[in-house]
Amino acid sequence: MKEQNSIPTSKVARATQFVKTGVKIGGNYLKHNVKKMIDPSTTKEQLHQENAEDIYSSLSELKGSALKVTQMLSMDKGLLPRAYREKFAMSQYSAPPLSGPLVIKTFKKNLGKSPSEIFDNFEMNASNAASIGQVHKASLNGKKLAVKIQYPGVSDSISADLKMVKPIAIAMFGLNDKDVERYMGEVQERLLEETNYRLELQRSVEISEACAHIKDIFFPSYYPEFSSDKILTMDWLDGLHMKEFLETNPSQEVRNRIGQALWDFYDYQIHTLKQVHADPHPGNFLLQQDGTLGIIDFGCIKVIPEVFYENYFALINFDTLEDNDKISKIFNTLEFIVPQDSAEEAKFFTELFKEMIFLLGKPFGEELFDFSDDAYFEQVYVFAEKLQHLEELRNSKVARGSQHGLYINRTYFGLYSLLNELRAKITVTKPEWLRSKKLQDV
């Protein structure tokens, strides 16, 4: 893989890269329209392929929040055409890595020594390279280590990058301008936290220790003495990422075991710790042939406010949806319904969001759920497409839904996607107060 010797860090340099990307996309649309005139049967598939290639190529050179947005979009199977999803998924662990001189420079600036002065062995070629940083193998006193190095200038460019990503996202993916603006602050806050490796070190240790009792999952140990604001050192965990693991054709028993471990991990974080590993993409999990699961990267953690938690998860108990007064209060608290809605608008959006909750909350309504049910996921994707094109939502005067739901929804969508890829059947553990009395009586 081609290495990068430098990363554009100035506002002018990064803005220039965004402009170049926009010009390329415009040229791709022009070529597509000319081809369409000559051959009316021309589809948009080639256009999607060319746009995906140009966007990924450009943003992967910028790193940071620009590339992180493509990573987030790649997880949303209902939002993007396949060409974008497949290309953007590379940002999870296959972005172009930094060159050796830049790695050494980062070490000397942050730890005062080169890697060779700290470790017995340090592989200068990165093992994985993602959006915020890249990982190198190292060893010390016979112990295998993973050393994560943050790309230069990432934290300083987040705000400016998000402003430049916004119009591309709106134009390319048909997103609502108000929705994008509303959630930009939430995204920016999480991204800034992800660039704070000292905070990640603290959270990694705390959450790993709190979840150590959960069956079939394990975590690396972390090393503060070899860590800094921009460098994070931990144990190297062996294992396979999802795609490589599935190519080994694991048994259904192993798939179910890993799927259950994933579900239990998120269930405990959300309902007990009230903070969650909100970056459930395949690059953060290492799957083992014995059915155990290694979990890494606690950079993106969403702390769940109590008021949001109580109202959001009350909706998972389907008994709530039959109580109109309670639903009205919750929908107002979560900002699904807003004070300026007319009676007609309130009714329309109430029914729409109830439909969404019944669909997305379906696994919670069962004791066992089979995530290999492609018909269920097709329903989810069809509904997501319906929302994307719904005039009432696109023309709404306000963005709907609390900003706190952004990363919680993303977490569950990522979890559902992982369990679907595993084709896992799991026991749906959940707090007792989320169990429907009506379903218990059936």
Side-chain angles (χ1 to χ4, degrees):
M1 186 184 296
K2 184 180 178 181
E3 293 184 338
Q4 278 187 248
N5 294 314
S6 64
I7 294 176
T9 55
S10 72
K11 288 184 179 180
V12 173
R14 295 180 76 83
T16 300
Q17 189 81 338
F18 276 104
V19 171
K20 287 180 180 178
T21 305
V23 170
K24 286 182 180 179
I25 293 169
N28 292 341
Y29 273 102
L30 181 60
K31 285 189 294 181
H32 172 74
N33 290 334
V34 171
K35 289 179 182 178
K36 190 78 172 175
M37 290 171 63
I38 298 171
D39 180 6
S41 66
T42 300
T43 68
K44 281 192 173 183
E45 189 55 37
Q46 186 176 356
L47 171 65
H48 292 326
Q49 290 282 357
E50 291 175 350
N51 279 344
E53 181 69 40
D54 288 337
I55 293 171
Y56 177 75
S57 175
S58 177
L59 299 190
S60 64
E61 290 182 19
L62 292 175
K63 310 294 190 190
S65 52
L67 189 57
K68 189 71 178 181
V69 169
T70 70
Q71 183 189 98
M72 293 171 69
L73 289 170
S74 75
M75 293 167 58
D76 194 335
K77 297 181 180 179
L79 180 61
L80 301 180
R82 181 183 298 274
Y84 293 104
R85 297 200 308 265
E86 292 179 347
K87 196 67 183 177
F88 291 178
M90 293 176 66
S91 68
Q92 294 169 0
Y93 40 80
S94 301
L98 295 182
S99 65
L102 268 181
V103 171
I104 293 173
K105 183 179 179 181
T106 301
F107 261 86
K108 287 187 173 180
K109 182 178 180 180
N110 287 274
L111 294 178
K113 297 179 180 180
S114 68
S116 61
E117 293 177 291
I118 297 173
F119 304 107
D120 295 334
N121 182 62
F122 183 90
E123 295 187 10
M124 199 56 70
N125 293 326
S127 300
N128 297 310
S131 52
I132 302 295
Q134 63 188 44
V135 177
H136 294 255
K137 284 184 180 179
S139 63
L140 183 64
N141 299 325
K143 185 180 286 289
K144 291 195 298 182
L145 303 172
V147 184
K148 186 161 72 168
I149 303 170
Q150 189 175 130
Y151 302 130
V154 166
S155 57
D156 297 332
S157 64
I158 287 174
S159 179
D161 278 2
L162 289 178
K163 289 178 182 176
M164 289 184 280
V165 165
K166 177 185 169 184
I168 293 178
I170 291 171
M172 288 295 299
F173 310 128
L175 302 180
N176 186 308
D177 180 76
K178 301 180 199 67
D179 286 341
V180 174
E181 184 63 37
R182 177 183 181 82
Y183 300 122
M184 200 62 74
E186 178 78 1
V187 172
Q188 183 170 324
E189 186 176 342
R190 297 286 81 73
L191 288 174
L192 284 171
E193 289 182 351
E194 284 196 66
T195 62
N196 184 345
Y197 279 6
R198 291 194 186 280
L199 177 62
E200 180 176 348
L201 174 65
Q202 174 192 329
R203 286 174 163 175
S204 299
V205 172
E206 289 176 354
I207 296 178
S208 297
E209 290 177 352
C211 295
H213 67 284
I214 298 173
K215 184 181 178 183
D216 292 332
I217 64 173
F218 60 96
F219 307 93
S221 295
Y222 294 84
Y223 300 91
E225 64 270 32
F226 306 127
S227 301
S228 71
D229 291 342
K230 307 299 179 185
I231 296 173
L232 183 61
T233 302
M234 68 199 83
D235 288 336
W236 178 271
L237 297 187
D238 290 317
L240 299 174
H241 292 302
M242 181 71 77
K243 182 179 178 182
E244 292 77 16
F245 177 75
L246 294 177
E247 288 173 352
T248 67
N249 195 29
S251 68
Q252 189 62 52
E253 180 184 0
V254 167
R255 291 168 182 260
N256 291 347
R257 185 175 171 182
I258 292 175
Q260 190 67 55
L262 268 171
W263 182 272
D264 292 345
F265 173 59
Y266 278 95
D267 176 68
Y268 185 78
Q269 290 178 95
I270 288 171
H271 299 296
T272 301
L273 302 182
K274 303 289 180 22
Q275 56 180 335
V276 63
H277 180 286
D279 201 8
H281 68 73
N284 287 339
F285 302 97
L286 294 163
L287 287 68
Q288 313 287 319
Q289 298 295 338
D290 64 358
T292 56
L293 179 71
I295 300 172
I296 57 176
D297 198 339
F298 288 87
C300 183
I301 298 295
K302 174 61 183 175
V303 177
I304 308 172
E306 191 64 35
V307 171
F308 175 82
Y309 171 81
E310 291 174 357
N311 285 274
Y312 181 92
F313 286 98
L315 299 174
I316 299 301
N317 185 329
F318 289 164
D319 295 348
T320 302
L321 298 181
E322 297 183 1
D323 186 334
N324 291 331
D325 289 339
K326 192 171 184 178
I327 276 290
S328 178
K329 290 177 182 176
I330 290 175
F331 277 14
N332 277 279
T333 299
L334 296 179
E335 299 173 76
F336 291 150
I337 307 299
V338 295
Q340 55 265 51
D341 282 338
S342 66
E344 184 179 351
E345 287 173 324
K347 181 179 179 182
F348 173 83
F349 286 113
T350 295
E351 293 306 313
L352 178 70
F353 287 116
K354 284 175 70 173
E355 181 184 356
M356 179 180 72
I357 292 160
F358 269 119
L359 181 60
L360 299 182
K362 184 178 179 182
F364 286 89
E366 302 183 20
E367 295 302 314
L368 297 172
F369 193 81
D370 188 351
F371 280 92
S372 70
D373 183 358
D374 289 328
Y376 167 68
F377 283 90
E378 184 61 29
Q379 282 183 288
V380 173
Y381 302 147
V382 168
F383 185 78
E385 188 172 349
K386 169 186 169 181
L387 290 180
Q388 188 179 342
H389 296 96
L390 202 61
E391 287 298 317
E392 289 85 350
L393 270 178
R394 293 178 66 85
N395 297 330
S396 178
K397 302 180 184 67
V398 296
R400 295 180 185 273
S402 167
Q403 71 270 23
H404 297 299
L406 179 65
Y407 277 87
I408 302 302
N409 293 338
R410 177 195 181 204
T411 296
Y412 273 108
F413 198 94
L415 175 60
Y416 282 19
S417 295
L418 289 170
L419 293 171
N420 177 236
E421 287 189 66
L422 280 169
R423 321 296 287 172
K425 185 174 184 178
I426 63 134
T427 299
V428 184
T429 56
K430 53 185 176 287
E432 204 57 39
W433 72 282
L434 296 184
R435 294 182 182 277
S436 166
K437 292 180 181 179
K438 188 174 182 180
L439 291 176
Q440 289 179 39
D441 294 338
V442 174

